Amino acid sequence: MRSKVSFTAGGVRCAGHLYLPAGSGAVPCVVLCHGFSGTMDRLFDYAERFAAEGLAALVFDYRSFGESDGEPRRVPDMGGQLADVRAAVAFVRGHERVDPDRVLLWGNSLGGAHVITVAAEDPRIAAVVAQIPFNGFPRQVEGRSTGQTLRVLGAIVWDALRGRLGLSPYYIPMVGHPGELAVTATPEADQHIQTLTGGESTSWRNSVAPRGLLQMMRYRPADAAARLTCPLLVCVAAEDQETPLETTRVLAERAPRGELRVYPGTHFTFYTDPTFRDGVVADQIDFYRRAFTTV
């Protein structure tokens, strides 16, 4: 059963969908958190899989994204998004069908950093899955020249300045082809965009205010990982260029109860290959079940 829900974080309404398995008793609940410019509709498949295994699942949009309130639109704010995740956890803990001591966090890309950070502050979180998680930018982005990097940095600074002056955001594409001004410029751009814009109730737009990247330069999820008391599973791709293995594996290594699973493929394989994704989710469900024995 899926129902539309909403909750408030810092005075901003966040929209979501709550999936509940059959039955009437209290069950564990997975709170799913999307990435830098993502929207919750891209996580419906994950939530359905968790619900089919007897877990409740909440997907939601961060403030200013998708169906949630917040102006200006599509402006990633690290502090605001972390507040949204905390509010989502509080919301499910207050639901009659959710066991408040078996709330699980799941995050993709930037959302993977967020769930680690929130869980480090909340010892009641039962377990965390961080899928292709952000842990700092790579030193060199493959296929991006120095000139192209400077163009992106210029867009970041210009958008941040406009924000400080109260002006409208300077938007750039999230995904573009190599050589284009975009947050991610990849040969897989067409396939990735088609994946993100296809399917049910698509609210994702290939447009984002890049000022959030400036905040991400100071984001240190590895420090939070070292403070985790619950189990952590980090799922990564061997050929990932956006969140490379050399940085993501540090999250599992720093966590006292961290596990690392490396899969063949790239960052975008997690989005574009349903069969691949099914195998990853099966591993994640097994991890959550093992974590229940320690709660």
Side-chain angles (χ1 to χ4, degrees):
M1 182 178 69
R2 184 180 87 180
S3 59
K4 286 189 174 183
V5 297
S6 64
F7 54 90
T8 301
V12 180
R13 183 194 68 88
C14 291
H17 288 261
L18 180 64
Y19 292 72
L20 294 172
S24 58
V27 295
C29 182
V30 185
V31 176
L32 295 97
C33 304
H34 60 72
F36 180 76
S37 76
T39 49
M40 63 176 168
D41 43 16
R42 298 301 87 200
L43 302 182
F44 287 168
D45 287 347
Y46 287 96
E48 289 171 1
R49 284 288 307 274
F50 290 134
E53 294 294 328
L55 307 172
L58 174 70
V59 296
F60 68 98
D61 285 324
Y62 299 131
R63 62 186 66 198
S64 89
F65 283 90
E67 299 178 25
S68 291
D69 294 343
E71 294 290 342
R73 303 301 294 168
R74 301 186 305 281
V75 176
D77 175 72
M78 301 305 103
Q81 291 184 357
L82 289 169
D84 298 342
V85 178
R86 297 184 192 103
V89 170
F91 170 77
V92 298
R93 279 184 174 148
H95 196 280
E96 61 181 4
R97 286 293 313 279
V98 174
D99 181 342
D101 290 315
R102 289 197 292 173
V103 172
L104 310 157
L105 296 184
W106 183 101
N108 184 76
S109 197
L110 179 59
H114 289 343
V115 294
I116 290 172
T117 301
V118 169
E121 305 165 352
D122 186 345
R124 292 180 71 190
I125 296 297
V128 176
V129 168
Q131 179 173 283
I132 47 174
F134 172 79
N135 185 37
F137 293 111
R139 294 179 181 177
Q140 177 65 40
V141 178
E142 185 175 355
R144 178 172 282 172
S145 68
T146 300
Q148 291 160 357
T149 299
L150 291 175
R151 285 182 66 203
V152 174
L153 290 173
I156 294 169
V157 172
W158 177 235
D159 182 49
L161 178 60
R162 291 181 67 87
R164 287 183 176 273
L165 295 175
L167 302 174
S168 60
Y170 175 71
Y171 295 107
I172 65 173
M174 177 65 203
V175 182
H177 294 281
E180 293 181 344
L181 175 61
V183 175
T184 299
T186 168
E188 299 172 294
D190 287 335
Q191 184 182 14
H192 186 41
I193 291 171
Q194 186 176 15
T195 301
L196 290 170
T197 55
E200 178 185 356
S201 304
T202 300
S203 57
W204 182 79
R205 299 290 179 270
N206 192 23
S207 170
V208 67
R211 69 188 67 172
L213 297 169
L214 197 59
Q215 297 179 18
M216 290 172 65
M217 292 176 187
R218 302 188 294 269
Y219 200 3
R220 299 290 182 269
D223 293 342
R227 303 195 304 272
L228 279 176
T229 58
C230 67
L232 167 68
L233 174 64
V234 179
C235 299
V236 301
E239 291 84 38
D240 194 329
Q241 301 297 326
E242 279 66 35
T243 54
L245 176 59
E246 64 185 41
T247 61
T248 52
R249 72 185 310 148
V250 174
L251 297 168
E253 293 168 352
R254 294 287 301 275
R257 301 168 68 184
E259 298 181 27
L260 177 71
R261 291 214 176 201
V262 182
Y263 300 88
T266 71
H267 190 85
F268 299 104
T269 308
F270 284 82
Y271 302 110
T272 58
D273 188 335
T275 302
F276 172 91
R277 187 166 60 242
D278 286 346
V280 174
V281 174
D283 291 341
Q284 294 170 352
I285 291 170
D286 176 69
F287 167 77
Y288 280 142
R289 293 200 182 286
R290 285 188 285 114
F292 296 156
T293 65
T294 67
V295 175

